[in-house]
Amino acid sequence: MADLIPLVVHATHEAGVKVGGIGAVLDGLLGAGSYAEQVKRTIVVGPMNAADPIEMERLTSPRNKLTIRYSSLHAVFNGVPEPIRRALQQVEQTFEVALLYGTRAFGAQVHEVILVDVTNPNQGQINNFKFDVWRNYGFDSNRYNWAGELNLFMAVAPPLFAAIRALGAGDGLSANDKFIIAHEWLGMPLVFAAQMNEPDKWRTIFY
């Protein structure tokens, strides 16, 4: 058997709640025994919408099999070591967002989850990120300010990457040992954030 892959981060709009096709794909992929045998650590990341009571109810429903270790929205802080709690709170303060960190079952396997709510984000941070994306990749997201979904994933990407790093994920690993997989275009802003913040330190995949 090949060596274990130390870390894989999956960026998807269905990180917190299974909605449709991609959720089924994630259950099949992340729940497979063969996947668990090859990947040591998996973190699934994406947005949450605290303003949507139905989504939040589904998120915390027992059927969703989510265990919250840290969430400022749910007043849960003691499920992580103190240094990680402080690091996550620093991310929240910097980007003016709310984070949720925990674990969730995908099929037969349980993986880490990071969700971010950007109801009232630091707009300056978002504008800086959009400018950096334009400067590095030539993509002018301001042309698509009418596209709410694009705005959402541009906003969640910087705090999501900061939260991944706050957990210490990737520490001490070479680029060939840690991967970020963007599931559909919605995961691409996180790929951009990783590439710009830590150039050549991550392997990135569009799926």
Side-chain angles (χ1 to χ4, degrees):
M1 183 171 61
D3 292 339
L4 285 174
I5 299 172
L7 174 65
V8 179
V9 176
H10 295 265
T12 169
H13 60 295
E14 295 194 32
V17 177
K18 180 179 178 181
V19 178
I22 190 63
V25 169
L26 290 170
D27 278 349
L29 174 64
L30 303 183
S34 55
Y35 177 94
E37 291 171 359
Q38 295 294 324
V39 181
K40 183 176 182 181
R41 184 179 187 183
T42 293
I43 307 176
V44 189
V45 304
M48 65 177 168
N49 183 5
D52 184 341
I54 295 177
E55 178 180 328
M56 298 305 288
E57 181 179 354
R58 290 192 62 197
L59 182 67
T60 56
S61 167
R63 294 181 59 187
N64 199 37
K65 299 179 180 178
L66 173 74
T67 299
I68 300 174
R69 296 183 180 176
Y70 174 96
S71 174
S72 53
L73 290 176
H74 300 89
V76 176
F77 304 103
N78 58 0
V80 295
E82 181 67 15
I84 290 180
R85 182 190 65 79
R86 290 198 302 266
L88 292 174
Q89 288 179 326
Q90 183 60 55
V91 173
E92 291 182 313
Q93 292 167 8
T94 299
F95 295 96
E96 298 177 22
V97 299
L99 294 175
L100 183 151
Y101 168 66
T103 59
R104 181 180 162 222
F106 293 84
Q109 308 297 328
V110 175
H111 300 293
E112 294 171 76
V113 171
I114 304 173
L115 306 176
V116 61
D117 172 72
V118 290
T119 300
N120 294 294
N122 183 319
Q123 194 61 48
Q125 294 279 1
I126 296 173
N127 292 339
N128 289 340
F129 177 65
K130 288 181 175 180
F131 175 76
D132 288 340
V133 169
W134 170 78
R135 184 176 58 182
N136 285 275
Y137 302 98
F139 175 64
D140 183 6
S141 60
N142 288 325
R143 294 177 59 188
Y144 308 98
N145 279 334
W146 49 268
E149 201 167 42
L150 173 62
N151 290 329
L152 171 63
F153 283 89
M154 292 296 283
V156 301
L160 275 179
F161 185 71
I164 291 167
R165 300 302 291 118
L167 293 177
D171 286 355
L173 297 178
S174 70
N176 290 326
D177 290 331
K178 52 187 180 181
F179 296 79
I180 294 178
I181 300 178
H183 290 267
E184 304 181 4
W185 69 264
L186 305 100
M188 285 303 296
L190 180 65
V191 166
F192 296 153
Q195 291 178 345
M196 291 188 298
N197 280 278
E198 297 183 351
D200 302 320
K201 298 293 180 64
W202 293 79
R203 292 289 176 258
T204 55
I205 299 168
F206 174 74
Y207 180 76

